[in-house]
């Protein structure tokens, strides 16, 4: 029996969880302030949802889905991304009848059958936002601005924002044709995937990572040259708002996204630190998705950010983010006082302090070491005499200073000390 975790999955140990929690809290907080509410949708959906939603020409649907049949013979798929499920919920829960815009965020794990690389896993997490009900470029600017605020709060810099517009279905038709004309003489030299893309969705040709196809894409026509007046105006406004918000961007006319549902604005935050493709976060407008899934016409814009890649970026930029909580107090005890130490620790924990005590039956010396290793701020040795006199000595580990304190006043003393410390 193979007792290793499945390929492409990772165990997250407490040190990393602490860092993730810090990121999660900060993300939840920034979404909260921008007026977004959290949504959680099922881990698996009917396969059809992703085929229709993400698009059958996308890499995700063609190669990366974890699809299985359940015992009732239904074809189900572990979610490879968040937008399709959120859009399904939006329709099913009648959220179109809520006052617009409906602003949602999520933090969910995703599953894709991919080749393992740095920053590329088979189970990974995404933070995302989706705004439903606004066609206006202000909405595009707001979600990008939210991301910019988040990065700023995390202390991240130098993450490049690439921006493009891939137009609406109307202006895309002319572009599609131009692409096909361009690729036609090269058809035989395309990789087998691209030969399929040529028929199914020529736009995808621009996204191929094979060397030869990639080179061809460099010379291909760009959608920006084919935008209709309305899409051009929309794009100009998005750029103008970003300028106003002080968000720097680079126009990348070759940027297309890996999912088929995008329209108009597409964007990506990229960094050289996070693996071959360098994408930390991708997003854009998807005005056609809700209708595609059977809802009424509903414009929408959103993004998804890879949490593991965010962690890699933070580390590459040398930003320490979140640590395991250090105890406010370590209570050392003897066999005769162990029960009282446990009880005192529990009482203080219930009052809101982080307190640890020995649960190993160790010697006092070993307990002192443990307190030090855990980075406790104070230590209290609870012996028979301390119990009898109902008072002990609170020692501050940073400078070794001690003060006597009645056992009933440990909590208020810790609180005072905490306030002094916060002040320093
Ligand atoms: P890539 O070009 O790297 O394959 P993608 O275009 O497939 O990315 P999206 O589907 O837009 O990515 O997902 C948004 C974000 O999710 C990416 O920018 C990335 O940070 C993260 N992500 C995507 N796939 C993975 C994966 N297999 N492992 C870890 N993170 C991922
Ligand atoms: Mg991908």
């Amino acid at each position: 029996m193979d007792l290793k975790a499945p390929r492409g999955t990772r165990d997250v140990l407490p040190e990393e969880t602490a860092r993730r929690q810090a990121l999660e809290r900060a993300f939840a907080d920034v979404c909260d302030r921008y007026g977004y509410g959290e949504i959680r949708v099922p881990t698996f959906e009917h396969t059809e949802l992703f085929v229709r939603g993400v698009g059958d020409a996308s890499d995700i649907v063609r190669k990366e889905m974890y699809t299985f049949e359940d015992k009732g013979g239904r074809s189900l798929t572990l979610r490879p991304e968040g937008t399709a499920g959120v859009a399904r919920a939006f329709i099913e829960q009648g959220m179109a009848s809520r006052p617009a815009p409906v602003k949602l965020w999520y933090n969910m794990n995703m599953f894709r059958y991919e080749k393992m690389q740095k920053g590329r896993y088979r189970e990974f997490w995404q933070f995302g936002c989706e705004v439903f009900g606004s066609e206006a470029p202000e909405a595009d600017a707001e979600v990008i601005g939210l991301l910019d605020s988040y990065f700023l709060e995390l202390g991240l810099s130098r993450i490049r924002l690439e921006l493009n517009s891939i137009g609406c279905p109307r202006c895309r038709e002319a572009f599609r044709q131009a692409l096909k004309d361009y690729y036609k003489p090269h058809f035989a030299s395309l990789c087998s995937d691209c030969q399929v893309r040529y028929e199914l969705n020529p736009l995808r040709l621009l996204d191929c990572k094979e060397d030869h196809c990639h080179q061809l894409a460099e010379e291909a026509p760009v959608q920006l040259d084919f935008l209709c007046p309305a899409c051009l105006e929309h794009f100009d406004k998005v750029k103008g708002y970003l300028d106003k918000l002080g968000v720097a961007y680079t126009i990348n006319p070759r940027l297309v996204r890996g999912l088929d549902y995008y329209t108009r604005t597409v964007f990506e935050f990229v960094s050289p630190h996070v693996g071959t493709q360098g994408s930390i976060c991708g997003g854009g407008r998807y005005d056609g998705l809700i209708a595609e899934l059977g809802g009424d016409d509903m414009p929408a814009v959103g993004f998804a950010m890879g949490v593991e890649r965010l962690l890699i970026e933070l580390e590459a930029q040398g930003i320490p983010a979140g640590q395991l909580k250090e105890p406010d107090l370590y209570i050392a005890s003897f066999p005769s006082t162990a029960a009282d130490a446990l009880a005192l620790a529990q009482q203080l924990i219930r009052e809101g302090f982080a307190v640890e005590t020995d649960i190993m039956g160790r010697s006092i010396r070993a307990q002192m070491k443990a307190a030090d290793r855990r980075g406790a701020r104070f230590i209290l040795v609870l012996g028979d005499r301390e119990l009898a006199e109902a008072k002990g000595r609170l020692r501050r580990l940073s400078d070794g200073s001690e003060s006597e304190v009645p056992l009933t006043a440990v909590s208020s003393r810790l609180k005072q000390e905490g306030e002094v410390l916060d002040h320093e």
Side-chain angles (χ1 to χ4, degrees), residues 64 112 114 120:
E64 297 172 0
R112 296 184 193 179
E114 298 206 70
R120 187 178 297 287

Side-chain angles (χ1 to χ4, degrees), residues 367-414:
Q367 292 183 52
M368 294 302 189
K369 264 197 181 154
D372 201 42
R373 196 171 51 236
R374 290 286 294 113
R377 278 170 50 211
F378 290 93
I379 191 163
L380 175 78
V381 179
L382 196 66
D384 291 324
R385 208 184 65 206
E386 283 78 8
L387 273 184
E389 293 174 3
K391 62 184 181 201
R393 302 189 72 77
L394 206 56
R395 172 144 49 97
R396 198 210 285 246
L397 267 124
S398 58
D399 58 5
S401 63
E402 288 194 12
S403 60
E404 200 170 73
V405 53
L407 293 183
T408 50
V410 174
S411 136
S412 53
R413 184 68 61 85
L414 283 176

